Amino acid sequence: MNSTHRQIAVIGGGLSGICSAYFLAAKGYEVAVIERRAHVAEEATFGDSGLLAPGAAMPLTLPGALATFACRFEDEPRVLLASGTDFSRRRWMGATRQAQQHHFAENKLRLSRLSAYGQSLTQQLQAHYNLDNENGSGVFHLFRQPAEAARMEAMQEAARQCEFKHQVLDAAAIRTLEPAFSSEAKLSGALYYPDDQAGNCVLFAKQMRNAAQALGVSFHFESHVRSVSAEFGGRVALQVDSPHLAPQMRVDAVVVAAGMASAELLRPLDTDLPLRALQSYSALVPVKNPDDAPNMALYDDSYKVAMTRLGSRIRISGLLGFVPPSQTLPPKALRNLLKIAGDYYPNAANYNQAHFWSNTLALLPHGLPVVGPTRQGNVFVNVGHGATGWAASVGSARLLADMVSGEDTEIPIDGLQPRDVLA
């Protein structure tokens, strides 16, 4: 253990924060999780797709400039855009496209490797604690557009390097594995990963909170961290609004895993992460005809939408929006989610009985998470996992715990650290 980091505060009670706290406590640290909500997993984690899928894991990529801005006028947009000119959004999307065009293959490999590590850790934790997460095996990665299918070669190369089982399929071959898959579905390509999984990410996060508490982690809810500042002597001061914590806390190290709030907390510490807030939309629908419902999960690359079976329910999640959070969800988003699900499994569910919600995601232009020490050596960050980031969140949390303790990480961390995205 790094003896200079005895007491550690983790800011954020989503899956990244919970698992960071768990792995740190397992190494012997005294850990406190500070969460502004009343419970864990109520923000980005609540909107997670449920994919535990290193093969299908994708760095965020968006349509090209013309296609993206045409989305504003489409009935079935792939990206929702707020009206008006937003130059910061344009710059961010430009950086995203640069990453896609020039670094897609290496970023895909990094994310696949991290997600495979996280999937393995998740399976070990599930076995160790006898956790039930409604897991199912097998994920189809579907490409509607030829330009998207053109990336399959890079994805297959990542699969070969990571030794993932995978197959290239057409719609007829998908129906051999999944007879309920629609014969009307139009695809430009598809990959099948038999060892990828899908399950209940929120349930897993809540169970990991219990595991962390058993190791001595304390959780402090309805507590808002206003600022993080370095003090002379190597400690970190937190200004906190909380019904049960002192207004100022001093700890040996801090892990910032607070979604979009991370950017504001880190900026005064000379760590200006290019995080962008995007909305992600989800629907939960009851299965109507079990014989017509999917047994395996799918990920639609065109719309960034995942469809997973959770017992007698189907979860549809994804579809990104550059729009402000609102209690009234955009009708286009709701129609799109159900339309996409209906394209593949039209008779599976009572889609008119869908329950909808929206979540805010904090994403970086290269589409990867960022984990590790900031320029302030005892302030660490673990953010940016996205709507399909279950496996990556668990893997990042273990990497972070190793970095905090000064130990060698079990997989390479190049391209994933804060210094890799800072100017």
Side-chain angles (χ1 to χ4, degrees):
M1 184 200 300
N2 186 330
S3 60
T4 62
H5 297 156
R6 295 179 297 276
Q7 296 177 316
I8 301 176
V10 176
I11 306 172
L15 183 60
S16 298
I18 296 166
C19 290
S20 295
Y22 172 86
F23 287 119
L24 287 166
K27 291 181 178 291
Y29 293 104
E30 180 183 338
V31 185
V33 175
I34 305 172
E35 166 56 44
R36 63 182 180 179
R37 298 272 193 162
H39 303 283
V40 297
E42 289 203 337
E43 297 196 26
T45 299
F46 195 77
D48 188 89
S49 66
L51 292 182
L52 188 63
M58 285 280 286
L60 173 71
T61 57
L62 298 173
L66 294 177
T68 299
F69 287 100
C71 288
R72 184 176 296 153
F73 309 104
E74 294 177 358
D75 289 332
E76 298 172 4
R78 287 181 280 166
V79 179
L80 274 66
L81 297 174
S83 59
T85 301
D86 184 336
F87 292 108
S88 67
R89 180 180 69 197
R90 287 190 181 185
R91 287 192 297 271
W92 192 92
M93 294 175 75
T96 295
R97 287 189 293 274
Q98 286 290 318
Q100 174 187 343
Q101 293 167 3
H102 301 294
H103 304 289
F104 176 80
E106 61 192 284
N107 286 343
K108 165 59 182 170
L109 179 59
R110 287 166 176 160
L111 187 58
S112 293
R113 188 166 51 213
L114 174 63
S115 298
Y117 183 53
Q119 184 192 41
S120 176
L121 291 168
T122 299
Q123 291 169 337
Q124 292 172 34
L125 290 165
Q126 289 173 337
H128 180 74
Y129 290 105
N130 194 27
L131 305 182
D132 179 11
N133 294 280
E134 303 176 316
N135 284 8
S137 294
V139 174
F140 299 107
H141 191 160
L142 309 180
F143 304 87
R144 294 176 184 248
Q145 304 296 327
E148 295 153 357
R151 296 197 299 269
M152 287 173 57
E153 184 176 345
M155 299 186 67
Q156 289 179 270
E157 179 57 30
R160 284 189 286 268
Q161 290 197 39
C162 295
E163 299 183 347
F164 300 155
K165 294 178 183 177
H166 65 286
Q167 295 174 251
V168 178
L169 304 178
D170 58 16
I174 293 174
R175 285 191 292 276
T176 301
L177 296 168
E178 187 76 286
F181 190 81
S182 173
S183 60
E184 303 297 320
K186 300 290 192 296
L187 299 175
S188 292
L191 290 168
Y192 171 58
Y193 298 95
D195 293 335
D196 277 10
Q197 295 180 308
N200 193 328
C201 180
V202 175
L203 177 59
F204 176 75
K206 292 178 178 178
Q207 292 169 328
M208 287 308 300
R209 174 209 171 171
N210 295 335
Q213 284 182 308
L215 292 177
V217 176
S218 60
F219 284 80
H220 305 277
F221 296 105
E222 298 179 328
S223 301
H224 177 64
V225 178
R226 290 199 170 276
S227 67
V228 177
S229 57
E231 291 194 327
F232 183 76
R235 301 204 87 197
V236 184
L238 309 180
Q239 297 291 334
V240 185
D241 288 340
S242 172
H244 39 77
L245 290 172
Q248 187 172 74
M249 296 175 59
R250 287 180 173 82
V251 292
D252 298 307
V254 170
V255 176
V256 181
M260 274 308 298
S262 303
E264 182 179 349
L265 291 171
L266 292 168
R267 196 169 292 117
L269 298 172
D270 195 28
T271 300
D272 194 3
L273 294 179
L275 288 167
R276 181 82 194 193
L278 278 78
Q279 296 303 111
S280 177
Y281 303 94
S282 300
L284 193 66
V285 296
V287 171
K288 178 176 66 175
N289 300 310
D291 290 342
D292 293 325
N295 293 307
M296 290 178 273
L298 65 80
Y299 181 72
D300 183 315
D301 194 84
S302 297
Y303 289 94
K304 317 304 178 196
V305 166
M307 190 172 179
T308 58
R309 174 83 175 266
L310 297 173
S312 61
R313 301 156 297 158
I314 295 173
R315 180 168 179 153
I316 313 152
S317 56
L319 189 66
L320 302 174
F322 287 92
V323 295
S326 172
Q327 292 183 340
T328 304
L329 303 185
K332 282 186 177 181
L334 311 189
R335 290 196 304 269
N336 249 20
L337 286 177
L338 300 186
K339 184 265 181 190
I340 293 162
D343 285 348
Y344 300 121
Y345 297 98
N347 302 312
N350 289 310
Y351 293 116
N352 60 348
Q353 297 179 17
H355 170 67
F356 296 99
W357 66 97
S358 174
N359 296 87
T360 301
L361 305 176
L363 297 174
L364 290 145
H366 64 353
L368 301 176
V370 60
V371 56
T374 66
R375 287 167 172 161
Q376 190 68 38
N378 55 352
V379 177
F380 298 80
V381 65
N382 189 8
V383 296
H385 300 86
T388 58
W390 178 354
S393 292
V394 179
S396 294
R398 176 57 190 272
L399 294 179
L400 182 135
D402 289 341
M403 285 187 269
V404 170
S405 63
E407 299 174 15
D408 292 336
T409 58
E410 294 183 320
I411 65 169
I413 55 176
D414 55 298
L416 300 175
Q417 297 185 81
R419 67 189 183 197
D420 297 315
V421 296
L422 293 172

